[in-house]
Amino acid sequence: MAYVITDAHPDDAAALGPLHLRNWLENYPNAAAGVDASWIREHRGSSATAEGITQWREFIEVANQRPAPHFCRVVRSETEIVGYLCGHWEESVTLGPMYLLDEAQGHGLGDRLMAEFFTWAGPARIRLGVADYNERAIRFYLRHGFEIAGEPYLWRERMPTLPMTREAPSAADGEPSVRQPDRA
């Protein structure tokens, strides 16, 4: 199957909201942490509602401005959106959410999404949070230069989350040490 990575379009919001919830339901249940489908629906179910889809649409519209304080790329198969990577700029750059459906994994798409995100972010410090039991995602982020940046914390008082950062390249690496993303 052929996959294409593109900018998200506002009309993609109708697919991204339910896809976001689907990925949480498939990837984050953890009995030991008390994270089950009910808890996920309570804390992420709104992404698939009309209000959540409107929020996705607004996020995408801002991400398509130039320069943009948000980043959002989608992975399209021949028939549907099968993944996405989003992020935003505040004091630092935050990566997330990032998901690929199982059938889209193993094709280098995560690496390609990450390369596009790094280009957008420029040499900025990037942070993210990942469920501390999502070993596959942790390995992926470590492979892309992220490091564990502190003790795990409980997201929404339940999900054990590991903070990770990828520090800005230093001037010694040939990059300026402080710069906002090009956001182009």
Side-chain angles (χ1 to χ4, degrees):
M1 176 163 300
Y3 297 102
V4 177
I5 297 173
T6 69
D7 286 340
H9 305 292
D11 290 344
D12 293 336
L16 288 175
L19 181 58
H20 187 68
L21 176 59
R22 174 182 170 185
N23 278 294
W24 271 77
L25 290 168
E26 290 177 359
N27 294 301
Y28 291 111
N30 182 288
V35 176
D36 60 12
S38 175
W39 186 88
I40 290 169
R41 287 185 191 287
E42 177 183 344
H43 294 280
R44 282 291 173 233
S46 65
S47 69
T49 65
E51 182 180 333
I53 291 168
T54 296
Q55 291 172 350
W56 271 102
R57 177 180 294 281
E58 291 168 356
F59 183 90
I60 293 166
E61 287 170 350
V62 172
N64 288 334
Q65 297 172 4
R66 300 293 184 252
H70 301 317
F71 175 92
C72 194
R73 299 288 188 276
V74 297
V75 179
R76 300 174 193 282
S77 71
E78 296 166 359
T79 59
E80 65 182 329
I81 294 174
V82 296
Y84 56 94
L85 189 154
C86 299
H88 64 275
W89 173 265
E90 289 176 356
E91 295 87 37
S92 63
V93 174
T94 301
L95 186 152
M98 178 180 184
Y99 297 109
L100 282 171
L101 294 178
D102 288 343
E103 66 262 22
Q105 294 181 16
H107 300 279
L109 296 166
D111 295 336
R112 289 175 41 205
L113 283 168
M114 193 65 75
E116 288 192 27
F117 185 77
F118 288 158
T119 297
W120 172 81
R125 178 178 187 260
I126 302 170
R127 61 188 175 93
L128 61 87
V130 60
D132 75 352
Y133 52 85
N134 190 341
E135 294 176 13
R136 186 176 188 177
I138 293 168
R139 284 191 309 272
F140 175 83
Y141 293 129
L142 289 169
R143 195 175 82 232
H144 285 279
F146 288 86
E147 297 178 349
I148 297 169
E151 296 298 316
Y153 61 93
L154 293 178
W155 183 77
R156 303 272 170 107
E157 300 180 14
R158 176 128 353 140
M159 179 179 280
T161 302
L162 193 59
M164 298 185 81
T165 60
R166 182 178 189 265
E167 295 300 325
S170 68
D173 295 329
E175 296 284 348
S177 59
V178 177
R179 179 175 75 84
Q180 286 193 358
D182 291 332
R183 299 173 279 162

